[in-house]
Amino acid sequence: MDYAKMERREAWLRHPVLGDPSFDAFEKLGETVHVSEAPYEWAVNGSIFRDPKTGWWYYYAGLYPYGYVWSGEAPEVQSHFLIYRSADKGKSWECLGPGFPDFDCRFPGLEDTRMGFPDVVMTYDGEADRYWLTYDWGARHIDRDEGWLGTDSGAALAWAENPEGPFHKLEKPFWSNSLRKDNRHLGRFNRGYASSVFKREKDWIAFVLQDSGDYYGWGLACMTAPSPEGEWSVPRLILSGDRPGYYPALLEFCFCMAPGDGRVYAPATSVAANRNYQVMFAADLERAEHPSAWSMIQEGSIWHARPLAHEHAGIWGQTIQGFVDDDRFVVMYASKDERDHGTLSVATLPLDRPFHDGFTISGHVGKSIAPILAAYGDYRLKMEMDFTGTIEVFLRYGGILGPDDHKALAVASDETFSSSLSLELGEGGGYRILARDSRGGTEPLACGTVPEAPKALEAVLSGRKVSVRVNGNTVWDGEADTEARPLAVCAHEYSVLTCSCFEVDGVPGRYALRYGAEDALLAAMQHISWQPSREAGFLTERGYIGSGGQCAKWNIRGDGFRIFAPRMPGLGNMEIWVDGFLYGTADLCAERPEPSGMVYEALGLPGDGRHCVMLKGYEGQPFAIDLIEVQGGPAEP
């Protein structure tokens, strides 16, 4: 079974922190459109638009100072956007200069302010023959004696007779994070930005990305109005981690897309440290204000990194955004170079063949790892690859999956790589055979260098015997345990692995994968005030004691699970919910502390294998979070 074939792409685990082996067919088009320089070092957001009248392409590049930081030393305009134009479908680009040449986007009541307006997206109203620009704005109120007094930000609209402007700004913004009192019912979400506006049959609809601050959750809200001038409705939350089903963590939306097929698409990117995981949601445009109209239509295999100087960070900043041109999907994407300066480029994808054989997985700030959703005892592995940096191939994988913390910029925890046997390879030919124990302690079993850059790997596991060959050279003969486990691939920091063959000759069996407590808090958008429990008895490095007002959620791939937790005085009953339905409870109270063991089991879950498992304290009782073991059967050949 060759797990590098595109028809096997769903046989790999994907995770917003741990990474995504992507089979996407995107290819970069032309040269990099924009490379950032001081004082706007972070051009990491943008949009691309095809003019339906001329066929010309326009790129709207959002310019920020380094780290998005407002600074008194920065220019008067803290952030703004440039317009690029291509008359040859992306082969070459001409910079037309700032989109608002007067750098003025002040609104009534905000005259004495320092402004920013970096992120814009264009749509065309054919009936009125008008181009509508949705733009983010930010303001810092100035006091001549005391400096900054406060901030506000939001979204506004401007119209023009062509995509280049000049733009006529509407007098009032349609979104203000501090002035609109009807934003407050959005719960933990307290800041809207990266908005898109589209015309529908009888009205207009706006989509506004939502941020929850230190809850580290993002969502998408919408509003409707009879015309761009308003009045705009009270915003409604349509997508977030509060949905009862499978919903990956750390998903930050950006601009939505309405390519003319009657649907609206909302791409989202993980804001973990690596940012190499993407998801696509979609709904019928005419029903898009209803949360029930939205579904996740693709998880992963949307984007892959390239070992290019202008793409040192992989995809970074916002997710992709674009349009359909004839038989291809054209997108803008952002990255950063080795100076940590933003870059903006274009890529295309054939609509009739969005995937290809061979996958790419990359690490950037942290390592990325992806296990196969199948377990093997005896097997023979044949792998063909190209890579930069350092990679690992896990011949027996048994780690505890999850992030190092439940917040943005998370990386894979040390426990993710525990209880495993692996081969580490460097692009210069160096190798190590590594055995890791249950706490991640590492023992090198062999090391050396092969004569040429590693391109081919063969591994045979038979009983306890293991033989590993790289480029035809035997690098290790040894022993391993006989327990059937998944295989996995890993890309280390700033490494890119492209695999053209991952053929496993053996009998695939049911797999078991474990996830730690940090993963459950991340998916639940829980406040950073959670602290690890110092009580003994947890199987993971960091277990937690939660109150009844808190919850924990795991997004899993499988048809069953077992929950492990300690029992101790002071704990109560814990509810177990699956996809929004109460499945049962577990009693965690004991007269004396008991080490973590199985407290609940569920088998035979229905559906496609994607599920959300949520833990809550019954009637406000304290409960413990340790780990979940997920079980599943291998996909059919």
Side-chain angles (χ1 to χ4, degrees), residues 156-176:
L157 285 163
W159 64 269
E161 295 179 352
N162 69 69
E164 303 170 16
F167 295 100
H168 308 278
K169 309 176 193 73
L170 297 189
E171 183 178 357
K172 294 181 180 181
F174 69 86
W175 185 281
S176 164

Side-chain angles (χ1 to χ4, degrees), residues 163-360:
E164 303 170 16
F167 295 100
H168 308 278
K169 309 176 193 73
L170 297 189
E171 183 178 357
K172 294 181 180 181
F174 69 86
W175 185 281
S176 164
N177 287 308
S178 64
L179 300 180
R180 278 188 66 103
K181 296 181 175 59
D182 51 9
N183 295 350
R184 297 173 184 171
H185 76 284
L186 295 175
R188 75 189 80 193
F189 298 103
N190 54 22
R191 183 170 70 101
Y193 57 108
S195 304
S196 320
V197 175
F198 302 104
K199 185 177 183 180
R200 301 198 295 182
E201 245 182 76
K202 297 181 179 179
D203 64 359
W204 291 68
I205 188 166
F207 300 98
V208 185
L209 167 62
Q210 301 294 310
D211 182 17
S212 65
D214 58 8
Y215 287 90
Y216 295 109
W218 286 260
L220 191 66
C222 78
M223 309 157 65
T224 58
S227 71
E229 291 81 3
E231 287 283 323
W232 288 91
S233 67
V234 172
R236 171 185 289 186
L237 192 65
I238 50 177
L239 286 172
S240 80
D242 292 314
R243 286 168 75 97
Y246 184 93
Y247 190 96
L250 295 178
L251 291 185
E252 184 183 34
F253 296 93
C254 196
F255 303 124
C256 293
M257 300 174 286
D261 62 352
R263 308 193 81 191
V264 59
Y265 298 86
T269 186
S270 167
V271 293
N274 279 346
R275 300 186 179 223
N276 58 359
Y277 169 97
Q278 315 288 313
V279 170
M280 187 74 73
F281 295 87
D284 290 339
L285 182 60
E286 296 298 324
R287 299 190 63 252
E289 70 271 31
H290 303 291
S292 61
W294 288 86
S295 61
M296 186 177 74
I297 61 170
Q298 186 175 332
E299 179 192 12
S301 281
I302 292 177
W303 193 257
H304 69 279
R306 302 168 183 83
L308 302 175
H310 284 169
E311 300 181 29
H312 182 64
I315 198 167
W316 205 93
Q318 73 175 78
T319 185
I320 59 173
Q321 180 275 338
F323 56 83
V324 173
D325 182 69
D326 297 328
D327 57 353
R328 58 181 176 166
F329 184 26
V330 180
V331 300
M332 65 72 55
Y333 66 96
S335 187
K336 293 191 295 186
D337 60 23
E338 293 180 345
R339 303 173 302 162
D340 205 30
H341 286 196
T343 63
L344 297 171
S345 302
V346 179
T348 64
L349 173 91
L351 290 176
D352 61 349
R353 194 172 175 82
F355 310 110
H356 57 47
D357 290 339
F359 64 82
T360 298

